[in-house]
């Protein structure tokens, strides 16, 4: 019996636990859902609820019939999103740990709109990040962060949307992820690779280097320490 319950956990056959919350970390019924939302006590992934305020999404909610004229071009909207994405990505990665992937929902439903999902390389980075961000603000609003059960974004995303065939548009209950520009993707996800190239791959290489190189490194290190001490005691 225990094996059967474990095998159906989080699937459509599970009549106790909410399938949507398990897959996408959000449910349109919220607290009124008749099924259990099992909030994780540990996870690689965090969610920053309704953090991204898209000008296009806001306009769509205020004008669902699309009768108004958009004030922003596609280029301006992409630039607005890229700036937000880079701000959050760099701040979180520099302070809390290496990011495996970061995704932002482009949905219009209240439970998904503007949600920012960040999956860390190390699980140990997630909880401290949540605790820290819940005491911070962004763009004049408090950040609401929590651990998320989502680990596989392929299962959380709408496959029809990825093929351009979703008929529910922004009100789909699966994630519609907003893409960043290719240049920004290369810049952000290539940062760690660049750092790794700068860092010696073999720590023993320095020991096997020639005596002349060792002397030069020692002199440079001495000069650097001298300059640093000068700044500290000015």
């Amino acid at each position: 019996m225990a094996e059967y319950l474990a095998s159906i956990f989080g699937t459509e056959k599970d009549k106790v636990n909410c399938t949507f919350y398990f897959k996408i970390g959000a449910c349109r019924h919220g607290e009124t859902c008749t099924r259990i939302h099992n909030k994780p006590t540990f996870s690689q992934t965090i969610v920053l609820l309704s953090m991204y305020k898209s000008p296009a999404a806001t306009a769509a909610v205020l004008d669902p019939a699309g009768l108004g004229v958009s004030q922003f071009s596609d280029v301006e909207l992409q630039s607005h999103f890229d700036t937000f994405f880079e701000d959050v990505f760099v701040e979180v990665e520099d302070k809390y740990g290496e990011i495996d992937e970061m995704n932002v929902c482009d949905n219009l439903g209240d439970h998904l709109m503007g949600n920012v999902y960040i999956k860390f390389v190390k699980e140990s980075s997630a909880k401290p990040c949540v605790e820290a961000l819940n005491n911070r603000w962004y763009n004049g609003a408090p950040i609401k962060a929590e651990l998320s059960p989502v680990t596989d974004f392929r299962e959380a995303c709408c496959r029809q949307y990825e093929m351009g065939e979703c008929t529910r548009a922004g009100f789909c209950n699966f994630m519609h992820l907003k893409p960043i520009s290719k240049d920004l993707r290369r810049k952000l996800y290539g940062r760690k690779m660049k750092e790794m190239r700068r860092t010696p791959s073999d720590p023993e290489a320095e020991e096997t280097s020639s005596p002349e190189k060792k002397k030069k490194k020692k002199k440079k290190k001495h000069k650097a320490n001298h300059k640093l001490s000068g700044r500290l005691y000015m």
Side-chain angles (χ1 to χ4, degrees):
M1 184 64 179
E3 289 182 6
Y4 172 72
L5 292 175
S7 68
I8 66 169
F9 181 81
T11 67
E12 293 179 3
K13 293 181 180 179
D14 190 343
K15 303 301 180 183
V16 177
N17 302 290
C18 179
T19 305
F20 275 104
Y21 184 79
F22 179 73
K23 283 186 176 181
I24 64 175
C27 169
R28 65 189 177 93
H29 299 294
E31 298 298 326
T32 62
C33 184
T34 57
R35 299 186 183 184
I36 298 172
H37 291 179
N38 288 297
K39 296 194 174 184
T41 54
F42 56 88
S43 176
Q44 275 181 268
T45 308
I46 70 170
V47 57
L48 311 179
L49 300 168
S50 304
M51 188 178 180
Y52 178 58
K53 310 298 182 186
S54 167
T58 303
V61 171
L62 296 175
D63 183 22
L67 299 176
V69 179
S70 176
Q71 300 177 26
F72 308 96
S73 67
D74 290 342
V75 173
E76 288 172 326
L77 289 172
Q78 188 64 53
S79 176
H80 180 275
F81 178 63
D82 281 355
T83 299
F84 165 83
F85 195 100
E86 184 174 8
D87 280 349
V88 177
F89 189 102
V90 173
E91 176 74 8
V92 170
E93 186 166 67
D94 286 350
K95 289 192 174 181
Y96 308 111
E98 187 179 351
I99 293 173
D100 182 43
E101 62 179 305
M102 174 170 146
N103 295 298
V104 180
C105 287
D106 201 24
N107 302 64
L108 298 177
D110 291 340
H111 61 301
L112 285 173
M113 185 167 63
N115 285 359
V116 178
Y117 291 84
I118 302 173
K119 182 181 177 183
F120 289 98
V121 171
K122 295 181 179 178
E123 186 182 283
S124 58
S125 302
K127 195 168 184 179
C129 181
V130 166
E131 292 171 353
L133 292 182
N134 275 325
N135 293 313
R136 297 187 62 181
W137 290 57
Y138 184 86
N139 199 24
I143 297 173
K144 297 177 182 178
E146 60 183 46
L147 294 174
S148 172
V150 179
T151 54
D152 187 349
F153 287 93
R154 291 172 299 178
E155 288 295 318
C157 291
C158 173
R159 291 184 178 86
Q160 284 77 19
Y161 173 74
E162 292 174 351
M163 295 185 290
E165 299 174 358
C166 182
T167 57
R168 301 199 65 186
F171 293 97
C172 179
N173 286 319
F174 284 94
M175 290 183 189
H176 288 190
L177 300 182
K178 188 170 179 63
I180 56 174
S181 63
K182 291 180 180 179
D183 288 342
L184 182 59
R185 179 168 293 278
R186 282 193 293 267
K187 178 181 177 182
L188 295 179
Y189 289 99
R191 293 194 326 149
K192 290 297 175 183
M193 292 299 294
K194 288 179 182 177
E195 289 177 13
M196 287 171 68
R197 290 192 192 103
R198 293 193 196 105
T199 305
S201 57
D202 185 3
E204 295 180 1
E206 190 174 334
E207 294 178 11
T208 58
S209 60
S210 66
E212 290 181 5
K213 286 183 179 179
K214 285 184 180 180
K215 285 180 183 178
K216 287 181 181 179
K217 286 181 180 179
K218 197 171 182 181
K219 285 181 181 179
K220 286 181 180 179
K221 190 175 181 182
H222 176 73
K223 287 180 181 179
N225 288 339
H226 177 72
K227 288 180 181 178
L228 183 61
S229 299
R231 285 198 296 268
L232 286 172
Y233 290 100
M234 280 177 65

